[in-house]
C-alpha cells in the first residue's frame, strides 16, 4: 500500500463537508495512521509481511483505537500518527480472528477527538458514507453503500452483513466507514472486484460492521479474546469456483491441513459426509462439529481420485505470537 504522503484522492471523489449533517473535520481527525512491525519469525509474516501500514480509529478518550486485525497480527511494535503529525507508540490489546477486528492502546495522549460507535444495522443500499483514511479530507472518499450481505473469505473467515461501498478507497486497511449521522459504522478490510451490469469490473471496499464489535468489546479489553471456546481452524486457503466447487488454493505453514497432507488443487466435496458447495456452507459445516481440537472428516478429490481424510483441527490463536507490553 502507498504511503499517505504519496497520494491524494482526486477532488471529485473527496467528501464535501457542505453536504453533510455533521462536522466532517472533527470526524476525520479521529482517524490515525497506523504502522506495525511483526517479527521475522511470526506465523503471519509469510502472508502479511513484517511491515504493515493502514489506519485506525480512536473510539475512547483514553486512546483506544480499533483497526482491522491483520495490520497488527503478532505485531511487536505499533506507531500511531495523527493528522497533525503527532506520533505515539501503541500496544496491541487484541485481534479477534472471527470478526477481524483489532484493538490497540495508545501509550500517550493522542490529542484527537473520539468517533462514536454508530448503528451499522441501519445502513441500506444507496446510503451516503465516507470511507475515511488518515490525513483528512484529501485522503477520504465520498461513497455509497452498494450492499450489506454475507461475506466468506478464503482464509476461513465468514461474517454476516459485511458492508460493500463504492467508489473504492485505494488505501482501505483500517479506514473508518463514517455513516450518514457522522458516527463509525464499519472498519475497512478489503478491496474486491465486482462485475457490474454490462460486464464492467468495479472495485468495491468491504468493511466489517461495527455492530459486531459491540458485544465482544468488553471481552477483548479484559481477556484479549472473546470468552468461550474458539472455532476449529484447519489452516488452509480455499476458493469457491463458478461451478460450486471448493478448491484448496494454499496452505498456512505448519497447520492441520499441511500436517494431514492436503495440497493446493485438492477439491472439497463434503464435511463429515455433508456435501458443501459454497465457502459459507463449508465453514459452517466445520464449525458445527465442535470447538478447536475436534476432528474434521473431509471428502476430497485429487487428480480425479476421491478419498476421505480426517484433520485434527486447532486453535488459530495458538499459532500466533501474543502481544507483550512495551
Amino acid at each position: 500500500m502507498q504511503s499517505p504522503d504519496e497520494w491524494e484522492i482526486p477532488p471529485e471523489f473527496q467528501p464535501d463537508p457542505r453536504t453533510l449533517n455533521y462536522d466532517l473535520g472533527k470526524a476525520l481527525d479521529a482517524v490515525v495512521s497506523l504502522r506495525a512491525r511483526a517479527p521475522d519469525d511470526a506465523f503471519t509474516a509469510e502472508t502479511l509481511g513484517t511491515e504493515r501500514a493502514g489506519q485506525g480509529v480512536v473510539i475512547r478518550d483514553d486512546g483506544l483505537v480499533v483497526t482491522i486485525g491483520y495490520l497488527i497480527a503478532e505485531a511487536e511494535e505499533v506507531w500511531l500518527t495523527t493528522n497533525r503529525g503527532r506520533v505515539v507508540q501503541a500496544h496491541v490489546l487484541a485481534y479477534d480472528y472471527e470478526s477481524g477486528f483489532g484493538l490497540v492502546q495508545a501509550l500517550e495522549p493522542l490529542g484527537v477527538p473520539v468517533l462514536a460507535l454508530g448503528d451499522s444495522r441501519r445502513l441500506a443500499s444507496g446510503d451516503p458514507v465516507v470511507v475515511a483514511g488518515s490525513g483528512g479530507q484529501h485522503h477520504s472518499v465520498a461513497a455509497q453503500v452498494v450492499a450489506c450481505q454475507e461475506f466468506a473469505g478464503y482464509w476461513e473467515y465468514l461474517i454476516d452483513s459485511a458492508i460493500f461501498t463504492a467508489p473504492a478507497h485505494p488505501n482501505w486497511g483500517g479506514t473508518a466507514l463514517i455513516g450518514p449521522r457522522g458516527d463509525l459504522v464499519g472498519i475497512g478490510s478489503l478491496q474486491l472486484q465486482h462485475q457490474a451490469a454490462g460486464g464492467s469490473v468495479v472495485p468495491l471496499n468491504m468493511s466489517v460492521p461495527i455492530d459486531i464489535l459491540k458485544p465482544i468489546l468488553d471481552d477483548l479489553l479484559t481477556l484479549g479474546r472473546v470468552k468461550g471456546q474458539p472455532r476449529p481452524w484447519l489452516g488452509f486457503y480455499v476458493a469457491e469456483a463458478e461451478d460450486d466447487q471448493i478448491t484448496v488454493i494454499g496452505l498456512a505453514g505448519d497447520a492441520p491441513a499441511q500436517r494431514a497432507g492436503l495440497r493446493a488443487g485438492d477439491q472439497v466435496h463434503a464435511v463429515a459426509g455433508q456435501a458443501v458447495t459454497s465457502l459459507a456452507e463449508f465453514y459452517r459445516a466445520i464449525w458445527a462439529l465442535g470447538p478447536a481440537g475436534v476432528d474434521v472428516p473431509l471428502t476430497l478429490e485429487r487428480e480425479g481420485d476421491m478419498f476421505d481424510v480426517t484433520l485434527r483441527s486447532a486453535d488459530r490463536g495458538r499459532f500466533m505470537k501474543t502481544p507483550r507490553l512495551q
Side-chain angles (χ1 to χ4, degrees):
M1 281 182 274
Q2 295 171 299
S3 163
D5 297 328
E6 296 172 351
W7 62 274
E8 183 174 296
I9 300 296
E12 63 269 27
F13 294 108
Q14 294 176 19
D16 182 351
R18 297 170 298 181
T19 66
L20 302 173
N21 296 322
Y22 58 90
D23 185 337
L24 177 65
K26 183 178 179 182
L28 296 180
D29 278 344
V31 184
V32 294
S33 169
L34 183 152
R35 294 190 177 275
R37 185 173 68 84
D40 292 339
D41 61 346
F43 187 78
T44 55
E46 183 178 350
T47 52
L48 297 175
T50 57
E51 303 284 340
R52 293 97 180 251
Q55 286 89 190
V57 187
V58 182
I59 60 171
R60 279 199 336 199
D61 288 326
D62 63 359
L64 179 65
V65 172
V66 61
T67 186
I68 198 66
Y70 61 72
L71 293 175
I72 61 166
E74 302 182 276
E76 57 186 7
E77 290 183 14
V78 179
W79 296 91
L80 307 173
T81 305
T82 71
N83 289 346
R84 290 173 174 76
R86 176 166 171 75
V87 180
V88 171
Q89 193 170 9
H91 168 60
V92 175
L93 294 177
Y95 173 15
D96 178 50
Y97 306 106
E98 294 185 11
S99 68
F101 285 118
L103 295 175
V104 301
Q105 176 66 52
L107 298 180
E108 296 178 49
L110 287 162
V112 300
V114 168
L115 194 56
L117 302 186
D119 185 352
S120 53
R121 296 169 301 179
R122 299 176 69 167
L123 285 179
S125 180
D127 281 353
V129 291
V130 173
V131 184
S134 60
Q137 181 177 336
H138 298 304
H139 291 166
S140 300
V141 172
Q144 282 192 329
V145 175
V146 174
C148 298
Q149 63 188 44
E150 180 180 83
F151 172 77
Y154 63 85
W155 60 99
E156 298 178 69
Y157 178 76
L158 176 66
I159 59 170
D160 296 323
S161 302
I163 306 165
F164 296 88
T165 58
H169 196 293
N171 189 27
W172 57 86
T175 48
L177 187 65
I178 302 174
R181 295 166 183 79
D183 45 23
L184 183 65
V185 292
I187 292 292
S189 175
L190 296 171
Q191 180 171 292
L192 304 167
Q193 303 299 317
H194 170 69
Q195 187 163 345
S200 61
V201 177
V202 179
L204 305 178
N205 287 140
M206 187 278 275
S207 296
V208 182
I210 204 65
D211 278 25
I212 296 178
L213 178 65
K214 295 174 184 177
I216 64 175
L217 181 57
D218 286 345
D219 281 355
L220 295 180
L221 292 174
T222 57
L223 304 173
R225 58 177 178 81
V226 177
K227 190 181 300 180
Q229 295 179 308
R231 287 172 173 167
W233 177 72
L234 301 182
F236 50 22
Y237 308 118
V238 286
E240 180 182 324
E242 292 181 359
D243 58 356
D244 294 335
Q245 187 65 62
I246 297 167
T247 302
V248 177
I249 58 174
L251 303 172
D254 186 28
Q258 187 174 86
R259 293 176 185 176
L262 269 66
R263 301 177 191 170
D266 288 348
Q267 295 181 331
V268 182
H269 287 270
V271 177
Q274 173 187 337
V276 289
T277 57
S278 71
L279 288 185
E281 197 175 49
F282 180 37
Y283 297 154
R284 290 192 175 106
I286 294 171
W287 299 337
L289 295 175
V294 69
D295 286 343
V296 179
L298 299 179
T299 301
L300 304 178
E301 180 180 345
R302 178 184 299 163
E303 299 176 352
D305 294 328
M306 299 277 287
F307 62 99
D308 295 322
V309 62
T310 297
L311 288 70
R312 173 62 58 88
S313 66
D315 173 4
R316 184 193 322 234
R318 293 186 177 274
F319 287 75
M320 310 294 177
K321 293 181 178 294
T322 54
R324 63 175 185 271
L325 190 61
Q326 303 292 320

Short mmCIF file of all heavy atoms in Angstrom, two decimals, residues 194-218:
data_model
loop_
_atom_site.label_atom_id
_atom_site.label_comp_id
_atom_site.label_asym_id
_atom_site.label_seq_id
_atom_site.Cartn_x
_atom_site.Cartn_y
_atom_site.Cartn_z
N HIS A 194 -15.88 -6.26 -8.43
CA HIS A 194 -17.28 -6.63 -8.64
C HIS A 194 -17.65 -6.44 -10.10
O HIS A 194 -17.36 -5.38 -10.68
CB HIS A 194 -18.18 -5.77 -7.76
CG HIS A 194 -19.64 -5.90 -8.06
ND1 HIS A 194 -20.35 -7.05 -7.79
CD2 HIS A 194 -20.53 -5.04 -8.62
CE1 HIS A 194 -21.62 -6.88 -8.16
NE2 HIS A 194 -21.74 -5.67 -8.66
N GLN A 195 -18.24 -7.46 -10.68
CA GLN A 195 -18.67 -7.35 -12.07
C GLN A 195 -20.06 -6.74 -12.12
O GLN A 195 -21.05 -7.33 -11.69
CB GLN A 195 -18.66 -8.71 -12.77
CG GLN A 195 -18.93 -8.60 -14.26
CD GLN A 195 -18.53 -9.85 -15.02
OE1 GLN A 195 -17.81 -10.69 -14.51
NE2 GLN A 195 -18.99 -9.96 -16.26
N ALA A 196 -20.12 -5.53 -12.65
CA ALA A 196 -21.37 -4.79 -12.70
C ALA A 196 -22.16 -5.16 -13.94
O ALA A 196 -21.70 -5.90 -14.81
CB ALA A 196 -21.09 -3.29 -12.68
N ALA A 197 -23.38 -4.63 -14.03
CA ALA A 197 -24.22 -4.85 -15.21
C ALA A 197 -23.50 -4.32 -16.44
O ALA A 197 -22.90 -3.25 -16.42
CB ALA A 197 -25.56 -4.14 -15.03
N GLY A 198 -23.53 -5.10 -17.50
CA GLY A 198 -22.83 -4.71 -18.71
C GLY A 198 -21.44 -5.29 -18.81
O GLY A 198 -20.76 -5.10 -19.82
N GLY A 199 -21.02 -5.98 -17.73
CA GLY A 199 -19.74 -6.67 -17.78
C GLY A 199 -18.56 -5.87 -17.28
O GLY A 199 -17.45 -6.41 -17.19
N SER A 200 -18.75 -4.60 -16.93
CA SER A 200 -17.62 -3.81 -16.43
C SER A 200 -17.26 -4.26 -15.02
O SER A 200 -18.11 -4.69 -14.24
CB SER A 200 -17.98 -2.32 -16.43
OG SER A 200 -19.09 -2.08 -15.59
N VAL A 201 -15.98 -4.15 -14.69
CA VAL A 201 -15.48 -4.54 -13.37
C VAL A 201 -15.28 -3.30 -12.52
O VAL A 201 -14.58 -2.36 -12.93
CB VAL A 201 -14.17 -5.34 -13.49
CG1 VAL A 201 -13.63 -5.67 -12.11
CG2 VAL A 201 -14.40 -6.62 -14.29
N VAL A 202 -15.92 -3.28 -11.36
CA VAL A 202 -15.90 -2.12 -10.48
C VAL A 202 -15.25 -2.52 -9.16
O VAL A 202 -15.66 -3.50 -8.54
CB VAL A 202 -17.33 -1.60 -10.21
CG1 VAL A 202 -17.30 -0.41 -9.26
CG2 VAL A 202 -18.02 -1.24 -11.52
N PRO A 203 -14.22 -1.78 -8.70
CA PRO A 203 -13.64 -2.09 -7.39
C PRO A 203 -14.55 -1.62 -6.26
O PRO A 203 -15.10 -0.51 -6.31
CB PRO A 203 -12.31 -1.33 -7.40
CG PRO A 203 -12.51 -0.22 -8.38
CD PRO A 203 -13.50 -0.71 -9.39
N LEU A 204 -14.72 -2.45 -5.26
CA LEU A 204 -15.50 -2.13 -4.07
C LEU A 204 -14.63 -2.28 -2.83
O LEU A 204 -13.68 -3.04 -2.83
CB LEU A 204 -16.70 -3.08 -3.92
CG LEU A 204 -17.70 -3.23 -5.05
CD1 LEU A 204 -18.75 -4.27 -4.66
CD2 LEU A 204 -18.36 -1.90 -5.36
N ASN A 205 -14.99 -1.55 -1.79
CA ASN A 205 -14.40 -1.81 -0.47
C ASN A 205 -15.37 -2.64 0.35
O ASN A 205 -16.59 -2.47 0.25
CB ASN A 205 -14.11 -0.52 0.29
CG ASN A 205 -12.94 0.26 -0.26
OD1 ASN A 205 -12.98 1.49 -0.33
ND2 ASN A 205 -11.88 -0.43 -0.65
N MET A 206 -14.82 -3.55 1.15
CA MET A 206 -15.62 -4.28 2.13
C MET A 206 -15.19 -3.81 3.51
O MET A 206 -14.01 -3.79 3.83
CB MET A 206 -15.42 -5.79 2.01
CG MET A 206 -16.37 -6.61 2.90
SD MET A 206 -15.84 -6.77 4.62
CE MET A 206 -14.73 -8.18 4.48
N SER A 207 -16.17 -3.43 4.31
CA SER A 207 -15.93 -3.02 5.69
C SER A 207 -16.64 -3.98 6.64
O SER A 207 -17.73 -4.47 6.34
CB SER A 207 -16.42 -1.59 5.95
OG SER A 207 -15.69 -0.65 5.17
N VAL A 208 -16.01 -4.20 7.80
CA VAL A 208 -16.61 -5.04 8.84
C VAL A 208 -17.55 -4.16 9.66
O VAL A 208 -17.14 -3.11 10.17
CB VAL A 208 -15.53 -5.65 9.74
CG1 VAL A 208 -16.17 -6.56 10.79
CG2 VAL A 208 -14.52 -6.43 8.92
N PRO A 209 -18.83 -4.53 9.79
CA PRO A 209 -19.79 -3.68 10.51
C PRO A 209 -19.44 -3.55 11.99
O PRO A 209 -19.09 -4.53 12.65
CB PRO A 209 -21.13 -4.40 10.30
CG PRO A 209 -20.78 -5.79 9.92
CD PRO A 209 -19.46 -5.75 9.25
N ILE A 210 -19.55 -2.33 12.49
CA ILE A 210 -19.13 -2.05 13.85
C ILE A 210 -20.02 -2.74 14.87
O ILE A 210 -19.61 -2.97 16.02
CB ILE A 210 -19.08 -0.52 14.09
CG1 ILE A 210 -18.11 -0.18 15.24
CG2 ILE A 210 -20.47 0.04 14.35
CD1 ILE A 210 -16.66 -0.50 14.95
N ASP A 211 -21.25 -3.10 14.48
CA ASP A 211 -22.13 -3.77 15.44
C ASP A 211 -21.58 -5.12 15.89
O ASP A 211 -21.96 -5.62 16.96
CB ASP A 211 -23.52 -3.96 14.84
CG ASP A 211 -24.37 -2.70 14.97
OD1 ASP A 211 -23.78 -1.61 15.07
OD2 ASP A 211 -25.61 -2.80 14.97
N ILE A 212 -20.70 -5.74 15.09
CA ILE A 212 -20.08 -6.99 15.51
C ILE A 212 -19.14 -6.77 16.68
O ILE A 212 -18.95 -7.65 17.53
CB ILE A 212 -19.32 -7.63 14.33
CG1 ILE A 212 -20.28 -8.01 13.20
CG2 ILE A 212 -18.55 -8.87 14.77
CD1 ILE A 212 -19.59 -8.61 11.97
N LEU A 213 -18.55 -5.57 16.76
CA LEU A 213 -17.60 -5.28 17.84
C LEU A 213 -18.29 -5.08 19.19
O LEU A 213 -17.73 -5.47 20.23
CB LEU A 213 -16.79 -4.03 17.49
CG LEU A 213 -15.79 -3.55 18.53
CD1 LEU A 213 -14.67 -4.56 18.73
CD2 LEU A 213 -15.20 -2.18 18.14
N LYS A 214 -19.47 -4.49 19.18
CA LYS A 214 -20.09 -4.06 20.45
C LYS A 214 -20.23 -5.18 21.48
O LYS A 214 -19.84 -5.01 22.64
CB LYS A 214 -21.44 -3.41 20.15
CG LYS A 214 -21.32 -2.12 19.36
CD LYS A 214 -22.70 -1.60 18.97
CE LYS A 214 -22.61 -0.37 18.10
NZ LYS A 214 -23.94 0.11 17.65
N PRO A 215 -20.77 -6.36 21.13
CA PRO A 215 -20.95 -7.39 22.16
C PRO A 215 -19.66 -8.08 22.61
O PRO A 215 -19.67 -8.79 23.61
CB PRO A 215 -21.90 -8.40 21.49
CG PRO A 215 -21.70 -8.20 20.03
CD PRO A 215 -21.38 -6.75 19.85
N ILE A 216 -18.57 -7.89 21.87
CA ILE A 216 -17.32 -8.57 22.24
C ILE A 216 -16.27 -7.61 22.77
O ILE A 216 -15.21 -8.05 23.21
CB ILE A 216 -16.74 -9.35 21.04
CG1 ILE A 216 -16.34 -8.42 19.88
CG2 ILE A 216 -17.72 -10.41 20.56
CD1 ILE A 216 -15.65 -9.11 18.72
N LEU A 217 -16.57 -6.31 22.77
CA LEU A 217 -15.56 -5.31 23.14
C LEU A 217 -15.04 -5.52 24.57
O LEU A 217 -13.83 -5.49 24.81
CB LEU A 217 -16.13 -3.91 22.97
CG LEU A 217 -15.18 -2.74 23.29
CD1 LEU A 217 -13.91 -2.82 22.44
CD2 LEU A 217 -15.89 -1.40 23.07
N ASP A 218 -15.94 -5.74 25.52
CA ASP A 218 -15.50 -5.92 26.91
C ASP A 218 -14.59 -7.14 27.06
O ASP A 218 -13.58 -7.09 27.78
CB ASP A 218 -16.71 -6.04 27.84
CG ASP A 218 -17.41 -4.71 28.07
OD1 ASP A 218 -16.81 -3.66 27.74
OD2 ASP A 218 -18.56 -4.71 28.55
#
